[in-house]
Amino acid sequence: MGEIRIAMQSLKMSFRARLQYRVDTLIATLAVFIRESANIIVIYLALLKFDKINGWNVNEMLFLFSILFLTYAFVVALFADLRQFSDTIREGRFDRLLVRPRGLLIQLVLNNADLIATAGHGTLGIILFLISAGKVGIHWDFATIVYYVCAIISGILIQGGMFIIFSSLSFYFVETNSIREIFYWNMRKFAGYPISIYHKLIQGMIIYVIPFAFVNYFPAQYLLRKPDMANYNEICIYIAPLVGPVVYLVAYLFWRLSVKRYYSTGN
């Protein structure tokens, strides 16, 4: 409990520090919001012309994107320090964490929250949800609300777990930015669309290797039941809320194993 309290205090301090420059924070947040919104607007205009993408209409696509943005908003609030962890290793800053009387991972999680990305992605995610949720035919009852909340938490843990795994690779290779670029950021771009539109190889990557399909596609399928779900085992939509805790546990165990291989690079 003590470590969690300290981590929450660190998160609180990160937000306070950023809010010291409110105008700059507001402008930067707006810039993130506009940048991400531009992609959505392009997709929206394309769907107005072509009507549907593999059976998904514009509101269903917006709902799919809303989950992706909402989960990522929490990820950058909780795991921001892990995005460039290889820099921490390369510059010798990880040595500072070793001499502190707290767990290494807990010092990184909830530290230096990216308030700008959190606000920008979170605001866009909420707007997309409000626009689409009432137009996609979902019957919102207790069961669907519980499933949706659990799926959001699972999506956060899946992406947080991936951040931890890529950070753990830094103990073996030091520089892992390129690996993260290929296997996280590029796969995240694919996850914005129904995975059924991709080649089987890409689908396999998004389901079994970098499981972004369990962040938004399969949870959305549970709520929307689109015809392209016939291409996949129906169990995927039911286990989606469980994939996050499993991925995070595997990531944590890999971290514990990998940190033993650390040796200082100096400064």
Side-chain angles (χ1 to χ4, degrees):
M1 289 298 293
E3 290 190 346
I4 295 176
R5 186 166 57 251
I6 290 175
M8 293 301 296
Q9 189 67 23
S10 177
L11 179 63
K12 185 177 179 180
M13 291 171 61
S14 295
F15 276 86
R16 282 185 173 179
R18 190 67 205 183
L19 289 174
Q20 294 296 314
Y21 309 96
R22 296 182 181 180
V23 175
D24 177 70
T25 300
L26 179 61
I27 293 174
T29 299
L30 184 61
V32 171
F33 177 82
I34 293 173
R35 182 192 67 199
E36 300 299 332
S37 297
N39 296 325
I40 301 300
I41 292 171
V42 170
I43 294 167
Y44 178 78
L45 294 176
L47 284 171
L48 288 180
K49 183 175 180 62
F50 298 104
D51 190 33
K52 293 183 178 181
I53 294 180
N54 205 28
W56 290 67
N57 64 36
V58 62
N59 287 312
E60 291 162 345
M61 288 287 296
L62 294 181
F63 184 76
L64 196 64
F65 270 101
S66 72
I67 300 175
L68 196 62
F69 283 113
L70 283 172
T71 54
Y72 186 72
F74 285 98
V75 170
V76 290
L78 301 175
F79 302 96
D81 251 16
L82 295 174
R83 286 183 301 179
Q84 303 294 332
F85 184 72
S86 60
D87 295 341
T88 301
I89 295 291
R90 188 177 60 254
E91 296 168 8
R93 288 183 280 124
F94 188 70
D95 294 352
R96 303 174 190 173
L97 306 183
L98 294 171
V99 299
R100 296 173 182 171
R102 294 293 173 185
L104 294 172
L105 191 56
I106 201 67
Q107 293 184 62
L108 294 166
V109 175
L110 291 173
N111 189 46
N112 292 327
D114 190 341
L115 176 60
I116 291 171
T118 297
H121 286 82
T123 301
L124 182 56
I126 292 171
I127 291 174
L128 293 177
F129 177 82
L130 293 175
I131 291 173
S132 63
K135 300 177 181 178
V136 292
I138 300 173
H139 176 60
W140 292 101
D141 55 18
F142 180 76
T144 53
I145 292 172
V146 169
Y147 179 91
Y148 180 81
V149 171
C150 291
I152 292 294
I153 294 172
S154 178
I156 296 167
L157 292 177
I158 288 172
Q159 295 174 79
M162 286 190 282
F163 274 26
I164 292 173
I165 289 172
F166 293 131
S167 297
S168 299
L169 291 176
S170 298
F171 296 120
Y172 299 90
F173 308 112
V174 181
E175 180 56 66
T176 59
N177 288 332
S178 297
I179 297 174
R180 184 174 56 252
E181 181 70 26
I182 294 172
F183 289 102
Y184 180 84
W185 299 114
N186 287 337
M187 290 296 107
R188 184 174 182 269
K189 293 175 183 177
F190 288 127
Y193 300 86
I195 66 171
S196 56
I197 69 174
Y198 299 121
H199 187 275
K200 292 292 184 181
L201 177 61
I202 300 298
Q203 293 182 38
M205 288 285 293
I206 299 175
I207 295 173
Y208 302 110
V209 181
I210 310 296
F212 263 115
F214 292 95
V215 174
N216 63 340
Y217 179 74
F218 288 129
Q221 282 287 16
Y222 176 88
L223 299 167
L224 302 177
R225 304 297 173 124
K226 301 298 295 178
D228 58 332
M229 185 61 207
N231 299 323
Y232 313 102
N233 193 321
E234 191 173 1
I235 195 173
C236 291
I237 66 177
Y238 297 106
I239 66 171
L242 304 177
V243 172
V246 172
V247 170
Y248 193 86
L249 176 61
V250 170
Y252 175 72
L253 294 175
F254 183 56
W255 167 274
R256 292 288 301 270
L257 176 67
S258 301
V259 76
K260 296 176 183 179
R261 296 179 58 91
Y262 173 71
Y263 60 91
S264 179
T265 60
N267 55 47

